[in-house]
Amino acid sequence: MSESKFINGYPFISYKQKNIPEEQSIENSKQFLNAMLKRRSIRHFSEMPVSEEIIRNILSVGNTAPSGANKQPWTFCVIQDAQLKKQIRQAAEREEYVSYHGRMPAEWLEDLKPLQTDWQKPFLETAPWLIVVCKKSYEINAEGKKKNNYYIQESTGIAVGFLIAAIHAAGLVTLTHTPSPMSFLSKLLKRPENEKPFLLLPVGYAADECWVPDIKKKSMEEVCFFY
């Protein structure tokens, strides 16, 4: 049982980490790296069902993410209903069609060519689960008063990173989908005014025939600088 005490009137519990030998730490970090190197953004999903227990465990990992003042300014909206997924696809494709036919500048469209994406998003219906991550700009207390949240964008982004890692660790696949604008999700999901859609994660197994772009990440020399 953890020791506890009050500091300036607030409860704290002791944190004790069991140190492991450096060799084991190196091996653990390599294993995690090798696992994450196999992660890809997937647009071709199997219709094979995924149990709710797995999804709940993944969401629980996302909910452990650090956040500004521990406000946890996010909401995870989880969709399995086929009719609602169809409505989301139809609304997303309307926005994506406009984006691909005039809203996105030529440079953006050129940068997307190696990925061969377009305005059609069938994965929004095929994937057994959709997770819409919303960011909460403020809280409303029991008296109906607004309470500020802090570092909302950063905190929600970190939670999404946790979700993506947990999805991959569970042997599932996903894609960060950000149709813009996303206000249609607020309406379809009947979310309150203090919540705005951040992104959408379709979750499931990869289709038996699944192709991904042969692209590479930047080298460590390009993105990492030691001082």
Side-chain angles (χ1 to χ4, degrees):
M1 187 173 181
S2 298
E3 299 176 49
S4 63
K5 68 176 181 177
F6 284 85
I7 300 177
N8 294 326
Y10 294 94
F12 279 68
I13 57 174
S14 64
Y15 175 77
K16 292 178 180 171
Q17 181 181 27
K18 184 179 179 181
N19 294 332
I20 60 176
E22 184 176 12
E23 295 80 6
Q24 185 62 55
S25 183
I26 292 171
E27 181 59 28
N28 290 356
S29 65
K30 283 182 178 178
Q31 289 181 10
F32 186 72
L33 170 61
N34 289 333
M36 293 304 291
L37 286 173
K38 296 180 176 69
R39 188 208 63 80
R40 295 299 300 264
S41 294
I42 299 299
R43 293 174 173 82
H44 305 283
F45 285 80
S46 166
E47 294 182 351
M48 184 188 303
V50 175
S51 75
E52 184 175 321
E53 182 178 3
I54 296 173
I55 298 299
R56 285 184 176 275
N57 288 338
I58 288 167
L59 295 168
S60 295
V61 172
N63 204 40
T64 69
S67 60
N70 193 36
K71 290 288 189 171
Q72 298 171 259
W74 53 69
T75 301
F76 305 139
C77 301
V78 191
I79 301 104
Q80 188 182 31
D81 180 77
Q83 185 58 36
L84 184 52
K85 287 196 294 181
K86 182 177 182 179
Q87 292 175 330
I88 290 173
R89 176 187 177 181
Q90 290 172 340
E93 287 184 337
R94 282 194 293 270
E95 295 295 350
E96 293 284 71
Y97 184 88
V98 175
S99 291
Y100 275 85
H101 293 84
R103 188 181 283 156
M104 290 191 290
E107 182 181 5
W108 191 346
L109 293 172
E110 187 66 27
D111 286 339
L112 286 173
K113 282 185 178 179
L115 307 181
Q116 286 296 289
T117 61
D118 60 28
W119 61 272
Q120 299 178 82
K121 310 298 176 184
F123 53 79
L124 293 174
E125 283 192 85
T126 309
W129 297 90
L130 303 180
I131 300 173
V132 176
V133 181
C134 296
K135 58 183 180 180
K136 298 179 75 172
S137 52
Y138 56 89
E139 305 286 342
I140 302 175
N141 65 17
E143 290 76 36
K145 295 182 179 179
K146 292 183 179 180
K147 296 280 290 181
N148 288 333
N149 287 330
Y150 312 102
Y151 299 104
I152 300 157
Q153 197 86 354
E154 297 87 344
S155 299
T156 307
I158 295 169
V160 169
F162 276 43
L163 284 175
I164 292 171
I167 289 166
H168 183 67
L172 305 176
V173 297
T174 190
L175 167 74
T176 52
H177 182 48
T178 53
S180 180
M182 289 191 281
S183 56
F184 66 88
L185 288 169
S186 298
K187 294 175 183 176
L188 286 172
L189 301 175
K190 298 181 172 68
R191 301 314 304 166
E193 279 293 317
N194 62 328
E195 292 183 16
K196 302 298 179 188
F198 185 73
L199 55 66
L200 190 159
L201 297 168
V203 181
Y205 294 101
D208 290 337
E209 184 174 350
C210 180
W211 297 87
V212 295
D214 186 10
I215 55 176
K216 303 290 186 274
K217 298 296 184 184
K218 291 180 179 178
S219 69
M220 289 297 292
E221 290 71 25
E222 292 177 278
V223 303
C224 187
F225 300 89
F226 287 84
Y227 293 91

